[in-house]
Amino acid sequence: MSRSITVGGAQLGPIARNESRQVVVGRLLELMREAHGRGCDLVTFPELALTSFFPRWWLDDEDELDSFFEREMPSAATRPLFELAVDLGIGFYLGYAELVEEEGRKRRFNSAVLVDKSGQIVGKYRKVHLPGHADNRPHFPFQHLEKLYFEVGDLGFGTWRTMGGVMGMCICNDRRWPETYRVLSLKGAELVLLGYNTPSTIPWDPTYDDQASFHNHLVMQAGAYQNGTWVVGVAKAGDEEGCNLIGGSAIVAPSGEIVALCSSKDDELISAACDLDICVRNKDAMFSFEAHRRIEHYGVITGQTGVTPPE
Ligand code: CDV
């Protein structure tokens, strides 16, 4: 009998700067109900799914900055998600901005939780690869201040055996780095869940603007294929406060093929039945790390470029 689980990707259209948590959570609840209607075991929401993508703004006022963060999960505002998940018997991945008081100071992370069908948080991930800059660049139409507002995640890339498979999590820019998928796969991941907010233009480095959507799928498809995993990549999409976010949310099979793809830049659900035994097969054959991977023969890496210095 194959181990098949049905997974949903709940893309979100834009979230306005002043949109309340209550309104946003209402949108998520609607998508969760739709996912249940389609027989999903699990639904994936985007990165920072509860607010507008606030790192695009230089925020001087700490209270305003903090207003975009969650101090507890669940909170009064997010509890309805957990309650509906229990009622429907559906798990979920939720990206959000996390604020904790630790070591006598505020610590902020770009985080995601994995919640099982009983409403329990079974896993937490804090984003490792933080893109953008930490300095004020007011001359650009929007900024990307993740390096200022978040600390680098300190939990590593975890995997969790839950809901009939082995789940791994990452967030947005992490998907561009092969190490992310490789580490998750080495830890047994069969499903990599990830949310993203990707602008169609990078004002301070427009080199690859024309390829934004191509690169989005390229990295997820390569990550899936080279590591024998399913990848569920879910966007925030559309014109959010003057910043155009690519959509293109996709469910990618371990073959590297996209099996479900969003067509709008709005709230939209995609779903697919994911046979997790395909992962086992791939990891036993072409991508058996044990049988074929030979890191001890790769040579010593000598620096950023890895070029061996002259004798
Ligand atoms: N939220 C992100 O991590 N966005 C980056 C953009 C800024 C390049 C991404 O990798 O999609």
Side-chain angles (χ1 to χ4, degrees):
M1 211 177 82
S2 79
R3 283 183 308 134
S4 180
I5 73 169
T6 302
V7 178
Q11 178 174 282
L12 289 175
I15 298 178
R17 185 169 181 161
N18 62 0
E19 203 164 318
S20 70
R21 292 287 196 291
Q22 205 187 10
V23 170
V24 177
V25 168
R27 289 166 60 182
L28 303 186
L29 293 173
E30 194 52 45
L31 287 158
M32 190 181 271
R33 278 189 205 98
E34 195 180 337
H36 174 252
R38 287 206 210 165
C40 292
D41 296 289
L42 169 70
V43 61
T44 303
F45 294 111
E47 172 191 37
L48 301 180
L50 298 170
T51 63
S52 202
F53 190 80
F54 63 90
R56 75 169 65 91
W57 298 300
W58 180 267
L59 300 169
D60 284 322
D61 178 350
E62 191 168 339
D63 288 343
E64 189 184 7
L65 175 61
D66 287 352
S67 73
F68 290 100
F69 283 77
E70 310 305 310
R71 288 172 184 267
E72 49 181 355
M73 185 58 67
S75 61
T78 52
R79 195 174 306 282
L81 277 170
F82 289 70
E83 288 170 349
L84 187 64
V86 177
D87 282 354
L88 301 178
I90 189 170
F92 66 94
Y93 162 112
L94 178 71
Y96 67 103
E98 180 192 9
L99 177 57
V100 283
E101 302 272 351
E102 276 174 9
E103 303 162 7
R105 65 187 173 94
K106 283 182 181 171
R107 303 188 71 195
R108 297 184 177 87
F109 297 98
N110 187 341
S111 301
V113 283
L114 179 62
V115 179
D116 72 11
K117 294 179 181 188
S118 70
Q120 294 305 306
I121 294 178
V122 289
K124 185 195 271 189
Y125 171 69
R126 291 172 168 167
K127 185 175 181 181
V128 168
H129 300 100
L130 299 175
H133 49 94
D135 55 318
N136 193 4
R137 301 182 183 180
H139 45 290
F140 288 124
F142 56 85
Q143 308 199 40
H144 197 106
L145 291 154
E146 284 197 64
K147 285 199 191 299
L148 180 65
Y149 296 152
F150 301 121
E151 286 182 49
V152 173
D154 58 354
L155 302 177
F157 289 105
T159 56
W160 297 271
R161 188 175 289 282
T162 179
M163 293 177 268
V166 184
M167 319 275 165
M169 291 191 280
C170 65
I171 300 176
C172 196
N173 193 262
D174 291 324
R175 77 195 188 288
R176 301 185 191 274
W177 300 89
E179 295 91 332
T180 299
Y181 306 92
R182 181 50 51 93
V183 171
L184 287 172
S185 186
L186 285 165
K187 293 183 178 183
E190 298 172 321
L191 255 175
V192 174
L193 310 174
L194 71 97
Y196 61 92
N197 281 260
T198 300
S200 60
T201 172
I202 306 290
W204 55 96
D205 181 14
T207 320
Y208 290 118
D209 282 0
D210 289 346
Q211 283 86 33
S213 292
F214 165 65
H215 286 156
N216 175 42
H217 289 153
L218 175 72
V219 292
M220 295 195 290
Q221 292 181 258
Y225 170 63
Q226 293 172 334
N227 295 283
T229 70
W230 290 85
V231 173
V232 184
V234 180
K236 177 110 70 59
D239 182 347
E240 192 178 79
E241 302 287 3
C243 174
N244 183 48
L245 298 169
I246 66 168
S249 303
I251 300 177
V252 185
S255 62
E257 291 164 290
I258 292 175
V259 297
L261 178 64
C262 276
S263 55
S264 77
K265 292 209 171 169
D266 254 312
D267 292 9
E268 180 182 347
L269 184 83
I270 50 173
S271 61
C274 303
D275 180 353
L276 303 183
D277 284 337
I278 299 176
C279 308
V280 177
R281 247 188 348 261
N282 285 20
K283 289 177 206 253
D284 275 347
M286 174 76 89
F287 291 108
S288 164
F289 295 158
E290 210 171 299
H292 311 306
R293 197 162 164 265
R294 287 288 167 264
I295 52 175
E296 67 277 22
H297 295 286
Y298 293 168
V300 176
I301 299 168
T302 53
Q304 162 80 21
T305 64
V307 174
T308 308
E311 301 256 311

